[in-house]
Amino acid sequence: MNPQVIIGQTAFVNPVLAASGTFEFGLKFPSVANRLGGVVTKAITLQPRVGNPPPRICEFPGGILNSVGLENPGVDKFCADVVPRTAKLRCRVVVNIAGFTAGEYGELAARLDSEPVDALEVNVSCPNVREGGSLFGQQPRVVEAITALVRKRTTKTVIVKLTANFVDPVETAKAAEAAGADGVTLINTLFGLALDGNGRPFLGGRTGGVSGPALKPFALFCVDRVAAAVKIPVIGCGGIMDAADALDFLSAGARMVQVGTANLVNPEATLEVWAGLKAYAQRNRLSNWDKVVGRARRVGG
């Protein structure tokens, strides 16, 4: 079988990625990273960010709420200190970029264009500080503008990571596609709130993002709809804990998957997902993933 997946100009050796924010830069577990399709870095912003005060994670039945607050070293330090080390990994490195104005996304894309990284994942789940704090990703016209700006400033593969918070991701996926995105990732975390025993917000950042198994049914629903609506590849994520989950996302139309929360429980979760997918392909004598991808609609879904 040929497990390779191509998105834009980037060829991934297999369809499994470690999701942004759950595997740092792939440097703590290189033996894992080197056997994956790739690693998506934690979000990188123009300036360093210390992130939110603790506590940053709250567990609940079915998943977690996280409120990290985009802690990162900033793009200059990332390029100087981190990229020389990620360049030694034997997998694709996808840099997740986050901005607080549309222009910041363009600046990040331009700054990273000459660096030895393979692709950019444009995180549009950030608040637009110039338009009252609404998420960039909640407005199709803004997603289109940011994608076009990033596309203009980089020669690298551009993947847009979409939110499903109070927006139809079909519309934002179409906007990203129209502006030249090579692919879309969905879904990002959903809004959530946890309270302590005194009825006060538990997380240091007050609210957080829901991830883990509880997210999977809705994430699958979104992937199924978006994959049917656009021609560019979809990368599915949201509650993937094992190979059976990953297979569901491929069946719903995703070309690749990202494993996130599972990494916090088991650093080798991504490898186990890939091993399970590979075993399924061998049992079913697949020559590639085409017979699996999108089959939920082909069988009357």
Side-chain angles (χ1 to χ4, degrees):
M1 181 200 189
N2 177 14
Q4 179 177 268
V5 178
I6 298 175
I7 296 181
Q9 62 182 345
T10 306
F12 298 88
V13 296
N14 66 58
V16 181
L17 302 170
S20 175
T22 65
F23 213 66
E24 200 179 32
F25 303 118
L27 298 171
K28 292 183 178 179
F29 300 97
S31 62
V32 175
N34 287 337
R35 288 180 278 174
L36 300 177
V39 170
V40 186
T41 71
K42 64 161 55 182
I44 299 299
T45 54
L46 276 180
Q47 302 301 324
R49 287 179 58 87
V50 297
N52 290 331
R56 291 180 169 185
I57 288 182
C58 176
E59 294 187 55
F60 68 93
I64 64 170
L65 273 167
N66 87 81
S67 181
V68 175
L70 299 178
E71 177 189 353
N72 76 95
V75 70
D76 288 339
K77 190 171 181 62
F78 173 72
C79 290
D81 297 347
V82 179
V83 170
R85 291 181 288 153
T86 59
K88 297 177 182 178
L89 294 173
R90 297 192 302 275
C91 68
R92 298 300 189 184
V93 176
V94 181
V95 181
N96 182 289
I97 60 173
F100 298 96
T101 66
E104 289 188 6
Y105 287 94
E107 291 184 55
L108 285 161
R111 178 68 178 83
L112 290 161
D113 194 49
S114 61
E115 298 293 333
V117 299
D118 299 290
L120 303 180
E121 183 178 72
V122 184
N123 180 357
V124 293
S125 294
C126 300
N128 183 348
V129 296
R130 290 186 178 170
E131 293 196 20
S134 62
L135 303 188
F136 288 108
Q138 290 175 325
Q139 305 166 78
R141 64 174 178 81
V142 177
V143 170
E144 185 169 355
I146 289 173
T147 305
L149 186 57
V150 170
R151 179 73 285 164
K152 184 178 179 180
R153 303 292 297 274
T154 187
T155 58
K156 298 189 184 297
T157 296
V158 174
I159 300 163
V160 180
K161 188 169 187 179
L162 302 175
T163 179
N165 279 307
F166 306 115
V167 65
D168 183 354
V170 167
E171 299 306 314
T172 49
K174 287 179 177 178
E177 181 179 42
D182 297 301
V184 290
T185 301
L186 67 150
I187 59 174
N188 209 332
T189 58
L190 297 179
F191 292 145
L193 174 67
L195 303 179
D196 64 17
N198 296 311
R200 301 186 186 93
F202 174 81
L203 292 169
R206 193 174 194 279
T207 61
V210 177
S211 66
L215 208 59
K216 182 189 168 187
F218 183 62
L220 268 180
F221 170 78
C222 292
V223 166
D224 175 66
R225 294 183 66 248
V226 169
V230 298
K231 295 180 180 177
I232 55 176
V234 170
I235 302 172
C237 61
I240 297 175
M241 304 300 287
D242 56 30
D245 291 331
L247 193 62
D248 284 346
F249 276 85
L250 296 181
S251 299
R255 286 277 167 187
M256 300 187 73
V257 296
Q258 291 186 7
V259 180
T261 299
N263 293 319
L264 305 180
V265 179
N266 172 16
E268 295 192 348
T270 45
L271 284 185
E272 293 175 7
V273 168
W274 169 228
L277 287 178
K278 185 163 55 174
Y280 177 88
Q282 291 170 344
R283 286 196 308 272
N284 291 275
R285 299 180 181 179
L286 300 179
S287 58
N288 54 47
W289 301 110
D290 290 348
K291 288 185 178 180
V292 174
V293 173
R295 65 181 175 179
R297 286 185 177 264
R298 295 197 297 272
V299 296

